[in-house]
Amino acid sequence: VAKAIVGVLLILPCLLVCLAPTPELYLHYAVAISPNLAPDEQFFEQFVIVSSMVSALTATFILAQRSRPKWPTSSLVLLLFVDTWLNGKRNIVILIGLTYLINRFQSPSFRGRIALGRILLVLLFTSSFSTLYQFTQREYYQDESVDRYDDFRFDFGRDHTLRTNIYALLYNRPILPSPLQSLKFYAAYLIPRSVWPDKPYAYATYFTCYVYLMPAKWIGFSLTTTVLGEAIDNCGWAGMLIGPLLVAVLCQIGARARLSLRRFLTVIVVNALLVVELAAFLPVAILWVLLLIWEYWLRRRLSGNQLVDRSLVRAPAPVRCLPPDRTSLDRTSSSVAHEHQTH
């Protein structure tokens, strides 16, 4: 049953593409950042993104294991390529690299030069892919008058986003339409925009439109944000404490995990929160929550079974000391006296 579930998770993106309103769209790369998607196509694209991230996470986790019976390496690598193509965003490549490294770090053999070499290789691959993605998929990167250093710092840094959040508070120019707007978006995540035209956008969409002085709308891309800034915009000055405390609480919960998979996902979730918004890796976060609930249920069930077992165990019967046989005592005394006389 477990192998069947894993197999379905691996091929789920391909199955969803066959059911898409316009499957021919996915013959082109980066459908997710296209500004010309119809409402039903944009809504269905969310499921393709979720399924591709779960499939890539599953395939990478299998690849990082020493023993992977009945899962050829070539097939898993091909699935990773398909997942990356259907997802159409850079974060899935970073997720694959981070998943591989975290999983390999748990192996005793992943030390020394081998570990350093693979870490540098993953960093080189992810950074090269990100740079290539920007130059091929972002039109403004093709402008030669743009300062490359500012663009790379704007793309990979997060200090400018935090300063923008603080600026919005100081001058009373809020980024979000109302406090806790992000929670409204996640609560209505599965509702199609065709059903609810005024459905809230993701936090990064509001932030991007705020920076470019535009009304809130999806423009095909969004600037990278962090949970620290999102907490400030949702909770005001209190968010400067809520954001770091949220990260600390998640780390504490992950440290108490008994399931290795949940500890592994905790590292991914916490690191992702610090560099992108929650909507960018929402399926991984949902999987982490489901594992948390499952582990809590297992603990309650095991503790209940232990209580039942202890109640059924009977105390051992007391050992009764029987009086010694008189005949054996007389024989022992006579043998000892005989030996004494002999010596």
Side-chain angles (χ1 to χ4, degrees):
V1 178
K3 291 182 179 180
I5 295 176
V6 171
V8 171
L9 292 178
L10 289 174
I11 64 173
L12 184 59
C14 300
L15 297 178
L16 288 179
V17 168
C18 296
L19 301 175
T22 51
E24 59 273 13
L25 279 177
Y26 295 95
L27 295 175
H28 305 279
Y29 179 61
V31 175
I33 63 174
S34 174
N36 301 321
L37 294 179
D40 56 341
E41 296 172 346
Q42 186 177 358
F43 177 72
F44 195 86
E45 173 64 15
Q46 297 178 0
F47 295 97
V48 176
I49 292 176
V50 169
S51 61
S52 60
M53 293 184 69
V54 174
S55 176
L57 187 67
T58 306
T60 308
F61 191 82
I62 296 174
L63 274 174
Q65 303 295 320
R66 288 186 176 181
S67 58
R68 40 182 183 273
K70 299 182 180 181
W71 296 108
T73 302
S74 57
S75 300
L76 294 174
V77 173
L78 179 60
L79 280 173
L80 288 178
F81 175 79
V82 173
D83 293 334
T84 304
W85 182 277
L86 296 179
N87 186 276
K89 293 186 176 182
R90 294 174 299 166
N91 54 14
I92 190 172
V93 177
I94 300 175
L95 176 65
I96 291 172
L98 187 61
T99 302
Y100 177 80
L101 289 179
I102 294 174
N103 201 357
R104 292 302 300 159
F105 266 119
Q106 300 178 2
S107 174
S109 61
F110 195 72
R111 298 293 185 271
R113 295 180 179 179
I114 297 177
L116 180 60
R118 294 189 180 183
I119 291 173
L120 293 178
L121 184 62
V122 170
L123 290 177
L124 177 62
F125 177 77
T126 53
S127 59
S128 301
F129 181 84
S130 178
T131 304
L132 181 64
Y133 185 92
Q134 292 290 76
F135 278 99
T136 56
Q137 302 301 324
R138 305 297 190 191
E139 295 181 357
Y140 60 87
Y141 268 80
Q142 301 174 5
D143 188 0
E144 296 181 356
S145 63
V146 177
D147 190 349
R148 300 306 178 194
Y149 171 77
D150 291 340
D151 281 333
F152 278 102
R153 185 172 175 273
F154 192 70
D155 191 31
F156 294 102
R158 296 298 178 270
D159 59 314
H160 57 276
T161 63
L162 293 176
R163 287 189 293 177
T164 304
N165 303 135
I166 296 174
Y167 170 86
L169 285 179
L170 287 175
Y171 294 94
N172 195 20
R173 297 178 180 178
I175 297 176
L176 297 176
S178 61
L180 303 179
Q181 183 75 11
S182 296
L183 298 181
K184 299 177 183 178
F185 166 76
Y186 294 120
Y189 183 77
L190 296 178
I191 300 178
R193 195 167 296 276
S194 58
V195 177
W196 185 11
D198 296 331
K199 174 184 173 181
Y201 293 98
Y203 170 74
T205 301
Y206 288 108
F207 183 86
T208 304
C209 295
Y210 181 86
V211 171
Y212 287 101
L213 303 178
M214 300 170 56
K217 63 178 182 179
W218 173 245
I219 58 177
F221 72 97
S222 59
L223 302 177
T224 49
T225 59
T226 172
V227 69
L228 304 178
E230 188 171 356
I232 293 175
D233 287 333
N234 281 275
C235 305
W237 292 110
M240 301 188 71
L241 293 177
I242 295 176
L245 285 177
L246 175 62
V247 175
V249 170
L250 293 178
C251 291
Q252 184 67 20
I253 295 175
R256 296 179 179 179
R258 294 183 180 180
L259 297 175
S260 59
L261 180 59
R262 192 164 72 84
R263 290 197 302 268
F264 159 74
L265 288 179
T266 301
V267 179
I268 293 182
V269 169
V270 171
N271 282 276
L273 280 174
L274 294 174
V275 294
V276 293
E277 62 171 344
L278 178 60
F281 62 100
L282 188 59
V284 181
I286 293 175
L287 180 60
W288 182 84
V289 173
L290 293 177
L291 287 175
L292 176 63
I293 298 173
W294 184 37
E295 184 176 354
Y296 176 76
W297 177 78
L298 286 178
R299 287 184 179 182
R300 291 293 301 270
R301 185 177 180 182
L302 291 176
S303 62
N305 291 338
Q306 289 177 0
L307 292 175
V308 172
D309 293 338
R310 290 177 182 176
S311 63
L312 294 177
V313 174
R314 297 181 180 179
V319 179
R320 296 181 181 180
C321 296
L322 299 177
D325 188 6
R326 185 66 181 177
T327 305
S328 61
L329 286 177
D330 293 341
R331 292 177 181 176
T332 304
S333 300
S334 60
S335 62
V336 171
H338 177 70
E339 292 179 359
H340 180 71
Q341 291 177 0
T342 304
H343 294 288

